[in-house]
Amino acid sequence: MKDKTAFITGAAKGIGRATAVALSASGCHVILTDIDQEALAKTKADIEASGGKTTTYLLDVSNRDQVNAVHQQALKDHKKIDYFINNAGIGGKLMPLHLTPLEEWQKVMAVDLDSVFYCLQAQINILLPQGGGNIVNVASLAGKKGVPLGAPYSAAKHGVLGLTKTAALEYGGHNIRVNAVCPTFLETDILEGVPEKVLDFVTNYRVPLKRLGKPEEAADAILWLLSENSTFVNGHSLVMDGGMEAG
Ligand code: NAI
């Protein structure tokens, strides 16, 4: 991965940050994008303190004009972008489907699904003339299973897997691989809205490894999908859930 360039959404915290740190340690120039300016500046400073090279852009992935403008600016500034990681996302509020306000549905759809459509369009338009590249979407196990009290999130993540598979089919012939990771219950800020007793139940009774995952473990999976060690893997959804889905 030495001398490659990677573009990451939601790079300020959690999985995005861990992925940026790991890619930088592998020799990549990392393009960090996020809506959280303060956290973005901290991640940039931390990576550069370890000798890494970064560029940052403020980007709200739910805004299509911003998505297009930032991708164009990043291409202008870096000439070539090898890897894209569509990671930014929100969990949304936990509530029964029949009580979910339209605004909540639309917000989660905008940040978790529309964004991936916008980003993929911008990215494919960069990768086609480049002759290829590699994209990883951060979906969720919620993209394969229903989530009680999380209808918008589950629907959005199912959509992300649909986009992943369709893009893999359409662009594999152009040397562009598109894959997804499907983590569940990793220790990041996104779990803040999940009650402690739910996390205890998940840890003790649902995850055979009897613990929550770590963002660095998601980063390892993402790096593998981006790397030369997975060159025949395309349109795949890599579940990383400590064995939860096995039962
Ligand atoms: P996090 O809350 O730690 O990080 C999310 C990052 O996305 C933050 O830096 C935040 O500022 C940014 N962000 C939020 N809305 C944005 C927007 N509109 N535009 C740009 N950036 C925005 O959460 P985490 O866990 O790192 O989440 C990353 C991805 O992983 C999400 O897509 C999430 O759905 C997915 N995921 C997380 C799991 C977990 O248990 N932590 C499990 C399965 C999937």
Side-chain angles (χ1 to χ4, degrees):
M1 289 179 162
K2 199 165 164 4
D3 300 328
K4 301 279 191 193
T5 300
F7 182 110
I8 309 161
T9 68
K13 291 196 277 181
I15 295 170
R17 176 188 157 102
T19 304
V21 168
L23 282 167
S24 176
S26 302
C28 274
H29 182 117
V30 283
I31 301 171
L32 313 168
T33 73
D34 206 285
I35 39 168
D36 186 334
Q37 190 163 16
E38 204 178 315
L40 196 58
K42 179 163 183 351
T43 298
K44 177 183 174 69
D46 290 347
I47 291 176
E48 289 182 352
S50 308
K53 293 193 188 111
T54 71
T55 313
T56 55
Y57 304 101
L58 270 181
L59 170 60
D60 176 351
V61 288
S62 66
N63 180 318
R64 192 175 190 219
D65 290 342
Q66 276 187 35
V67 167
N68 287 334
V70 168
H71 278 83
Q72 281 315 307
Q73 190 60 50
L75 182 62
K76 204 168 157 208
D77 294 345
H78 299 87
K79 312 293 178 240
K80 187 170 185 280
I81 304 173
D82 305 281
Y83 308 137
F84 290 95
I85 301 96
N86 297 318
N87 160 77
I90 54 172
K93 297 192 180 104
L94 291 174
M95 62 181 76
L97 187 154
H98 75 289
L99 298 178
T100 301
L102 182 60
E103 295 71 32
E104 176 66 12
W105 168 266
Q106 288 171 334
K107 185 176 170 197
V108 174
M109 283 294 154
V111 179
D112 288 356
L113 180 58
D114 296 350
S115 65
V116 179
F117 174 66
Y118 304 153
C119 285
L120 283 174
Q121 283 195 320
Q123 293 159 5
I124 299 289
N125 276 317
I126 289 173
L127 294 179
L128 282 174
Q130 252 180 220
N134 201 328
I135 302 173
V136 173
N137 295 322
V138 179
S140 170
L141 190 61
K144 289 178 171 278
K145 303 269 189 189
V147 177
L149 308 182
Y153 186 73
S154 179
K157 293 298 187 180
H158 274 76
V160 171
L161 293 186
L163 286 172
T164 303
K165 288 184 255 189
T166 302
L169 293 172
E170 289 189 17
Y171 303 105
H174 295 272
N175 195 30
I176 298 170
R177 289 196 292 130
V178 187
N179 290 290
V181 289
C182 295
T184 193
F185 292 110
L186 308 184
E187 288 167 355
T188 72
D189 290 358
I190 213 167
L191 294 187
E192 267 168 14
V194 181
E196 200 59 41
K197 63 180 181 194
V198 172
L199 295 179
D200 283 348
F201 175 76
V202 165
T203 308
N204 291 314
Y205 298 103
R206 292 290 289 122
V207 180
L209 292 180
K210 302 241 176 277
R211 64 175 175 85
L212 303 180
K214 298 184 190 317
E216 291 76 15
E217 293 175 309
D220 286 341
I222 293 167
L223 258 69
W224 180 73
L225 287 170
L226 293 171
S227 77
E228 294 298 309
N229 295 324
S230 64
T231 44
F232 205 50
V233 181
N234 189 29
H236 183 63
S237 315
L238 199 163
V239 171
M240 38 158 319
D241 63 351
M244 198 167 152
E245 202 200 24

